[in-house]
Amino acid sequence: MAFRHINELPLGDKVFRIELASDDDITVTLTLTGWREALPEVPLASGSLTMPLAEVPTLRIAFNRALRALALAADVAEPIPDRDILRELFPGHGAPWIPQHEEDLTQRFHAGETIARIAARFGRTPDSVRTKLRELGHDPRRPEYCPPDGCLSWSRYVSPALVGAPEEHTAAE
């Protein structure tokens, strides 16, 4: 069964047209065009992509992630996606952190992995990774920072005084 779906999205003074078409139900062709309403003959965007129909869901996630990363890099405001989209883009979004993941997170962080790569590994947003690192006592801006006895030596629930850390002696002693 062949199909053709066209969606035109007016965004301010711009219009984007996305067309999906298939003649054989095995492949799909995605065509994107964009223009300003005042100058329809001057394209803002144009391109075409043909791929197996079965890969559309994966490509959708990849496009969402890439466009979101581009918007962040270009410091462009974007609408806040709803929870379902966040769960699709970041499968771990909203899930509790477990101790094994916390340990793996800090090891990867101090091994020099980027926040973006760590976030992708755990299916979370970069902001949630930064927040968790702060909760664990690490500074996401300074991976070289480490608590005195090592990052993984202290639980976030235990203070040095509780486990018998040596007290500093005063000069009067």
Side-chain angles (χ1 to χ4, degrees):
M1 181 172 115
F3 67 86
R4 182 174 172 192
H5 175 78
I6 299 173
N7 195 358
E8 283 195 3
L9 305 166
L11 299 168
D13 69 334
K14 300 172 193 95
V15 177
F16 291 94
R17 178 183 178 143
I18 301 168
E19 179 180 339
L20 294 169
S22 176
D23 293 327
D24 55 12
D25 286 341
I26 296 172
T27 61
V28 64
T29 301
L30 178 140
T31 306
L32 170 70
T33 53
W35 61 91
R36 291 190 190 280
E37 286 184 311
L39 298 167
E41 64 280 353
V42 179
L44 290 174
S46 66
S48 182
L49 172 69
T50 302
M51 63 187 167
L53 187 60
E55 297 303 320
V56 169
T58 307
L59 185 65
R60 178 177 172 234
I61 292 170
F63 272 153
N64 282 340
R65 286 182 179 171
L67 290 172
R68 185 173 189 276
L70 178 62
L72 291 174
D75 198 24
V76 176
E78 64 173 313
I80 298 171
D82 63 7
R83 180 168 283 146
D84 293 337
I85 298 294
L86 282 172
R87 290 260 163 94
E88 185 175 312
L89 290 172
F90 307 104
H93 178 73
W97 286 88
I98 60 173
Q100 295 88 350
H101 288 173
E102 290 176 353
E103 186 174 327
D104 191 21
L105 166 68
T106 56
Q107 287 174 348
R108 289 174 183 276
F109 176 66
H110 286 291
E113 256 186 69
T114 65
I115 297 290
R117 185 172 295 269
I118 294 170
R121 163 70 177 85
F122 289 106
R124 299 187 182 258
T125 64
D127 283 343
S128 70
V129 169
R130 286 186 200 93
T131 300
K132 178 49 70 174
L133 284 167
R134 283 187 200 98
E135 285 177 11
L136 294 171
H138 306 283
D139 186 347
R141 294 167 296 164
R142 297 185 3 204
E144 68 280 359
Y145 171 77
C146 214
D149 292 335
C151 296
L152 301 176
S153 63
W154 297 107
S155 164
R156 64 184 162 150
Y157 303 110
V158 178
S159 73
L162 291 175
V163 294
E167 296 179 20
E168 291 185 25
H169 297 286
T170 62
E173 293 179 351

